[in-house]
Amino acid sequence: MQLAVSSRSFQRALSLRRMALEDVPAAAQELGYRAVEIDDAHLLQRAAAWRLRHPRFRDYTTARLLRLHAAFERAGTRLVAWTAHTDFTLTERAARWQLHYLEGAIATANDFGARLVCIRAGGSEDPTQDEMLRCLSGLRAAAQLAERFRTRLALENGLGITQSVERTAQLLREINSPYLGACLRFDAEDSVALAPFAIHAHALSHAFDSQGRETTADYPACMAALRDANFNGWISIQYEGDAEPAFGIVQTAELISALASS
């Protein structure tokens, strides 16, 4: 199984501006990893809250993306996935902005050489029928957009409408597109049931016991489920604990490697 490092592993330093997003490729390379996932929230972190909810196509500036390109080239790393903060339950003007935003995210990922964009369904944990219908309509349009770019979309579970594994699987089955799969989130409840749909994985980690086991997610079950499903995508490490990112990333990688070889 292939491991990547997510920029979210450096969330605290990025939020406090102790490091810039452009520093992430080199930080991953120093730890021995040449595959990186970029979360675009770090590109938009200075934007007003309403723009984060209703992002527009031009939120990515050319100058910033060029600096990020240069950072990848200097570090000798590659982008394997791009994360966009979508909400497919939006309506009217906001829903139209959403597709422009997603098109920008897909085009950016492609420019960096990646053909995978992680997305979120949005909505509430207990959605109304209207929310579900809007989400299905939005995801169907997103899958059609991804097909145009020959890019796959990985729908992350565990948030909003996708809090329910059954509902997440229902969305994927109803859209039934080769351009839409699941992004299996290790710390979400019952994630293992999504392994057959998984094309990407987010290995979230927070804390480890004295034997190096993650204490907030069932890593053995997730790894076994992915192995049984013949998963051949990337597992992106997202360390969100209190220790230094380097420590958490290495601990997570060692745990995954141990489980993969057992």
Side-chain angles (χ1 to χ4, degrees):
M1 295 184 183
Q2 307 171 97
L3 295 183
V5 174
S6 170
S7 61
R8 287 199 64 84
S9 295
F10 305 95
Q11 171 68 22
R12 184 177 301 175
L14 289 165
S15 298
L16 295 174
R17 299 183 186 175
R18 292 176 181 168
M19 69 183 294
L21 190 62
E22 292 83 355
D23 298 324
V24 170
Q29 192 276 336
E30 288 175 6
L31 294 172
Y33 298 97
R34 295 185 177 275
V36 175
E37 177 176 336
I38 292 293
D39 186 316
D40 78 355
H42 305 309
L43 283 174
L44 308 174
Q45 59 187 348
R46 295 184 183 180
W50 72 269
R51 291 186 71 196
L52 288 177
R53 277 187 58 88
H54 309 302
R56 289 181 287 184
F57 183 57
R58 295 299 179 188
D59 275 331
Y60 304 155
T61 65
T62 300
R64 189 75 193 277
L65 292 178
L66 286 174
R67 292 200 298 271
L68 190 57
H69 260 293
F72 271 96
E73 290 178 0
R74 285 194 303 271
T77 53
R78 59 175 291 205
L79 180 80
V80 297
W82 186 272
T83 293
H85 291 259
T86 49
D87 181 343
F88 293 102
T89 65
L90 300 176
T91 60
E92 299 176 351
R93 188 181 181 187
R96 293 192 295 272
W97 283 351
Q98 176 99 242
L99 280 182
H100 287 309
Y101 163 53
L102 180 58
E103 183 174 355
I106 293 172
T108 299
N110 287 185
D111 286 345
F112 278 75
R115 294 285 175 173
L116 182 72
V117 175
C118 298
I119 58 174
R120 294 177 178 179
S124 59
E125 295 179 11
D126 187 19
T128 64
Q129 184 177 6
D130 284 345
E131 267 189 300
M132 284 294 292
L133 290 174
R134 290 199 305 272
C135 189
L136 279 167
S137 177
L139 283 172
R140 190 169 289 111
Q144 291 168 353
L145 180 63
E147 182 177 6
R148 281 172 40 203
F149 285 85
R150 297 295 184 266
T151 295
R152 293 185 302 168
L153 303 177
L155 179 64
E156 186 176 26
N157 70 302
L159 303 163
I161 283 177
T162 59
Q163 183 75 27
S164 161
V165 168
E166 293 81 5
R167 200 178 296 120
T168 306
Q170 176 190 347
L171 291 170
L172 294 172
R173 281 194 296 264
E174 293 205 26
I175 301 300
N176 190 29
S177 168
Y179 296 95
L180 178 67
C183 174
L184 190 149
R185 180 177 165 133
F186 276 33
D187 69 338
E189 188 175 356
D190 298 327
S191 278
V192 294
L194 288 177
F197 300 96
I199 60 173
H200 190 65
H202 282 164
L204 277 83
S205 56
H206 298 84
F208 302 88
D209 62 19
S210 58
Q211 294 180 307
R213 295 174 298 198
E214 215 286 329
T215 61
T216 62
D218 193 343
Y219 267 62
C222 288
M223 291 296 296
L226 289 174
R227 185 168 54 246
D228 291 345
N230 295 316
F231 174 78
N232 63 358
W234 290 90
I235 297 177
S236 182
I237 297 171
Q238 291 190 11
Y239 175 67
E240 299 186 355
D242 295 328
E244 285 297 312
F247 169 82
I249 291 168
V250 170
Q251 282 284 96
T252 306
E254 289 179 350
L255 175 58
I256 291 172
S257 296
L259 292 169
S261 60
S262 64

